[in-house]
Amino acid sequence: MPTNVSAHPEVAKAVYEAGGRLGKSGTKPWAYFDGADAEERAKPVIEVFKQIHGYECSDYHANGRDVGYDYAIRLD
């Protein structure tokens, strides 16, 4: 996990196991997924996030191909 991205270790592990990558937009941590099944692969990460934090991820973005991803989850 990049040291400049603040994400719970279990969430980071779930992101990598789902084939995603961690990154930042401004000061906010995000998980990015690529491919036609990006949204489907992100679902287990959302569940891990919810189990750990007790609430849903605060933001989702689909179809951000112009900025380098197909699906993104904000991890704060």
Side-chain angles (χ1 to χ4, degrees):
M1 180 174 97
T3 57
N4 65 335
V5 178
S6 177
H8 189 282
E10 291 298 317
V11 173
K13 180 180 175 188
V15 169
Y16 287 120
E17 287 177 352
R21 67 186 190 282
L22 294 173
K24 285 173 84 172
S25 178
T27 61
K28 307 298 181 192
W30 287 81
Y32 299 103
F33 299 88
D34 297 312
D37 63 343
E39 188 172 353
E40 197 62 35
R41 288 186 294 116
K43 288 180 181 179
V45 177
I46 294 168
E47 286 304 313
V48 169
F49 182 94
K50 198 179 335 180
Q51 289 172 1
I52 291 169
H53 296 290
Y55 56 89
E56 287 269 345
C57 301
S58 62
D59 201 1
Y60 307 90
H61 286 273
N63 213 8
R65 192 74 262 165
D66 58 325
V67 289
Y69 63 86
D70 292 310
Y71 195 76
I73 308 166
R74 187 165 148 184
L75 299 175
D76 66 347

